[in-house]
């Protein structure tokens, strides 16, 4: 049993924050038992961890991030997607064939993700099974929640980063089978995107998806180039998302489509049919993809939206910065396309990064009764003699905060370093 005192904040829904000032949160066996203004009699005399006026919030959920691109963050940001992939990303990812290169990068990535308060993530590795296995093993060992994918690519990439169909399917099945019984960090099928996967590879992955009840993560209509290239390589298909549906990849677990900036009505209809998530990655879309997701427009069509950092397309693992950026970009989207879009408010953006994204991993992303106590304590945001409300503290943290403002981190109810 753990009892915490402070200001407690989480998302009630996409429009409203639940705020409990000067309150007590009781966690039992790593899960929230309740929040109380006055501590109930049965807990009187119990040890209390007192955080005073600091704010306790849920840990963040990053639904699209490339662990293998961690060392690329902030590089090549003046390029568009195709050139960036070929000049920076593909050469760098090829080095993950060497475990001496892969291990320290993946360890640094995990450490930095924890430092930034992200305890749940959908992660791309590379085509290399041994390195991908190291990443998911380390995630599981540290108790982090995740879906980790060994990437599939057999076409549309440099020769040094291509697999054969047979090799890709064999290595993917070995990866799925080895980690199918993981408790918190689970394997997920990860075709990079349609331009790098042939139809026979997609169909083979669909067979594995059904066999292992494995979900799908990929990039969906992330740029005009990608959407056009997908249709060129898959004639006879009506849209990018249909490629995955017809391969049988969208029925066996969570479906996570990164970016989803240029969807057709058919893309939206198919993603909704399978309850999939569209992941908004604000920094990445302005760095290298040159488009802005219409969050409010998509949600008006019942699309489930969440947030991602997309490192190294994005340049920081701080998902809280993407909360702020998503509000900023929604204003730009509204300014240029007012007939289709509306700005989103801060509570909406915070919801995307916590409760919405957390739902992919189970009962995480909130501090409601029954949720896992994966939480952060935020402090140091007020100016001297000018107090802030809990909501103002968290909003300011998302705009100008750093990892120094995360005073404590709790994973499964346990304080971690």
């Amino acid at each position: 049993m753990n009892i915490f005192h402070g200001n407690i904040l989480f998302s009630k829904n996409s429009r409203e924050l639940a705020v409990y000032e000067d309150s007590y949160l009781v966690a039992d066996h790593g899960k929230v038992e309740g929040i109380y203004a006055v501590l109930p009699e049965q807990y009187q005399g119990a040890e209390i961890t007192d955080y005073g006026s600091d704010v306790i919030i849920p840990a963040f959920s990053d639904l699209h991030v490339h662990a293998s691109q961690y060392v690329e963050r902030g590089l090549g940001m003046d390029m568009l997607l195709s050139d960036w992939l070929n000049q920076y990303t593909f050469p760098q990812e090829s080095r993950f064939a060497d475990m001496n290169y892969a291990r320290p990068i993946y360890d640094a990535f995990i450490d930095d993700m924890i430092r930034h308060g992200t305890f749940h993530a959908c992660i791309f590795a590379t085509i290399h099974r041994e390195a991908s296995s190291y990443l998911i093993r380390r995630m599981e060992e540290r108790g982090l929640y995740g879906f980790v994918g060994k990437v599939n690519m057999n076409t549309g990439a440099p020769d040094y980063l291509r697999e054969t169909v047979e090799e890709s399917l064999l290595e993917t099945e070995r990866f799925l089978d080895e980690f199918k019984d993981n408790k918190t960090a689970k394997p997920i099928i990860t075709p990079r995107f349609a331009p790098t996967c042939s139809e026979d590879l997609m169909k083979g992955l669909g067979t594995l998806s059904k066999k292992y009840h494995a979900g799908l993560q990929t990039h969906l209509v992330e740029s005009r180039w990608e959407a056009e290239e997908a249709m060129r390589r898959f004639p006879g298909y009506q849209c990018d998302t249909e490629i995955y549906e017809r391969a049988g990849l969208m029925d066996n677990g969570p479906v996570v489509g990164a970016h989803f900036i240029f969807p057709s009505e058919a893309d939206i209809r198919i993603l909704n049919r399978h309850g999939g998530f569209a992941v908004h990655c604000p920094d990445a879309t302005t760095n290298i993809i040159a488009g802005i997701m219409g969050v409010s427009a998509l949600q008006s069509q019942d699309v489930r939206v969440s947030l991602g950092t997309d490192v190294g397309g994005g340049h920081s693992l701080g998902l809280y910065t993407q909360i702020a950026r998503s509000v900023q970009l929604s204003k730009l989207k509204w300014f240029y396309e007012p007939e289709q879009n509306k700005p989103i408010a801060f509570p909406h953006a915070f919801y995307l990064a916590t409760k919405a994204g957390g739902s992919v991993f189970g009962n995480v992303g909130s501090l409601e009764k029954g949720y896992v106590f994966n939480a952060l304590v935020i402090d140091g945001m007020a100016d001297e003699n000018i107090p802030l409300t809990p909501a103002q503290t968290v909003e300011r943290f998302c705009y100008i905060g750093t990892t120094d403002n995360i005073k404590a981190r709790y994973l499964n109810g346990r304080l971690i370093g």
Side-chain angles (χ1 to χ4, degrees):
M1 185 77 65
N2 301 100
I3 302 175
F4 305 93
H5 172 261
N7 295 315
I8 300 157
L9 180 148
F10 55 91
S11 290
K12 185 177 293 186
N13 50 51
S14 64
R15 300 172 304 280
E16 187 178 358
L17 297 172
V19 181
Y20 298 83
E21 296 192 52
D22 190 20
S23 294
Y24 299 87
L25 184 150
V26 178
D28 188 16
H29 292 92
K31 293 186 177 181
V32 177
E33 188 280 326
I35 297 173
Y36 306 95
V38 178
L39 203 59
E41 183 66 30
Q42 71 258 37
Y43 302 125
Q44 294 295 329
E47 183 178 350
I48 298 170
T49 302
D50 190 356
Y51 286 112
S53 61
D54 297 339
V55 186
I56 304 170
I57 65 172
F60 298 115
S61 298
D62 187 337
L63 259 62
H64 181 63
V65 61
H66 292 261
S68 54
Q69 295 174 18
Y70 177 70
V71 294
E72 291 179 56
R73 64 201 187 283
L75 300 176
M77 300 288 93
D78 54 350
M79 294 183 178
L80 294 180
L81 179 61
S82 183
D83 290 338
W84 181 76
L85 287 173
N86 285 295
Q87 294 186 38
Y88 278 88
T89 298
F90 288 159
Q92 196 276 133
E93 286 191 9
S94 70
R95 301 184 67 183
F96 280 77
D98 179 359
M99 287 302 298
N100 290 326
Y101 182 78
R103 278 190 292 264
I105 291 176
Y106 283 155
D107 284 337
F109 164 79
I110 291 172
D111 285 344
D112 206 15
M113 193 169 65
I114 292 171
R115 188 160 51 245
H116 281 92
T118 297
F119 298 165
H120 330 110
C122 291
I123 304 172
F124 277 57
T126 63
I127 66 170
H128 311 97
R129 182 184 57 82
E130 186 179 4
S132 304
S133 297
Y134 180 82
L135 174 60
I136 193 172
R137 194 176 295 116
R138 292 294 291 137
M139 290 280 292
E140 178 80 0
E141 288 170 355
R142 300 189 71 169
L144 295 168
Y145 292 65
F147 286 99
V148 178
K150 173 223 161 307
V151 172
N152 303 102
M153 293 196 295
N154 76 313
T155 186
D159 290 343
Y160 58 77
L161 208 58
R162 288 188 195 179
E163 312 162 285
T164 65
V165 172
E166 295 75 15
E167 177 186 19
S168 187
L169 294 176
L170 175 62
E171 291 292 271
T172 298
E173 180 159 21
R174 291 177 67 183
F175 181 75
L176 294 172
D177 187 64
E178 182 175 0
F179 301 105
K180 65 182 184 297
D181 296 323
N182 276 14
K183 293 181 178 179
T184 58
K186 302 176 183 298
I188 191 168
I189 292 178
T190 308
R192 187 183 208 105
F193 56 1
T196 60
C197 296
S198 64
E199 187 173 30
D200 50 350
L201 176 54
M202 287 289 198
K203 289 180 177 178
L205 292 173
T207 299
L208 293 179
S209 175
K210 184 175 182 180
K211 179 177 179 180
Y212 288 93
H213 304 286
L216 166 73
Q217 65 173 350
T218 191
H219 301 85
L220 285 176
V221 286
E222 61 176 311
S223 70
R224 289 193 173 96
W225 166 80
E226 188 266 339
E228 293 168 0
E229 186 69 7
M231 292 299 92
R232 187 182 73 82
R233 291 177 178 272
F234 288 81
Y237 288 76
Q238 63 176 328
C239 67
D240 194 359
T241 310
E242 187 187 23
I243 296 167
Y244 303 93
E245 182 181 52
R246 283 170 57 176
L249 280 162
M250 302 182 75
D251 294 316
N252 308 296
V255 174
V256 181
H259 306 304
F260 212 62
I261 300 170
F262 301 101
S264 66
E265 289 302 314
D267 284 301
I268 292 171
R269 186 169 60 251
I270 292 169
L271 190 67
N272 282 351
R273 183 153 60 227
H274 299 278
F277 277 83
V279 188
H280 184 26
C281 304
D283 278 344
T285 61
T286 52
N287 284 336
I288 60 171
I289 296 172
I292 301 173
M293 177 191 278
V295 174
S296 59
L298 286 177
Q299 293 200 308
S300 71
Q301 298 178 79
D302 300 321
V303 176
R304 303 169 77 185
V305 177
S306 60
L307 290 184
T309 59
D310 195 24
V311 168
H315 49 265
S316 169
L317 280 176
L319 192 67
Y320 50 90
T321 66
Q322 301 311 288
I323 295 173
R325 209 82 76 237
S326 65
V327 174
Q328 293 172 318
L329 290 189
S330 75
K331 294 177 182 178
L332 284 177
K333 190 74 169 174
W334 167 72
F335 182 82
Y336 287 105
E337 300 173 7
E339 70 283 354
Q340 300 174 24
N341 298 277
K342 297 179 180 179
I344 65 173
F346 176 78
H348 190 164
F350 185 79
Y351 169 82
L352 299 181
T354 54
K355 192 171 184 178
S359 67
V360 174
F361 308 93
N363 270 13
V364 300
S366 180
L367 298 178
E368 300 165 66
K369 181 179 175 65
Y371 274 70
V372 178
F373 188 65
N374 291 348
L376 312 173
V377 180
I378 307 301
D379 76 344
M381 300 311 305
D383 296 308
E384 188 174 1
N385 300 320
I386 306 176
L388 298 174
T389 68
Q392 289 173 331
T393 297
V394 177
E395 181 178 16
R396 178 174 282 181
F397 168 68
C398 291
Y399 277 87
I400 65 171
T402 70
T403 56
D404 290 341
N405 299 113
I406 304 177
K407 184 174 183 176
R409 300 160 179 82
Y410 287 88
L411 179 59
N412 298 313
R414 180 175 57 87
L415 182 68
I416 61 174

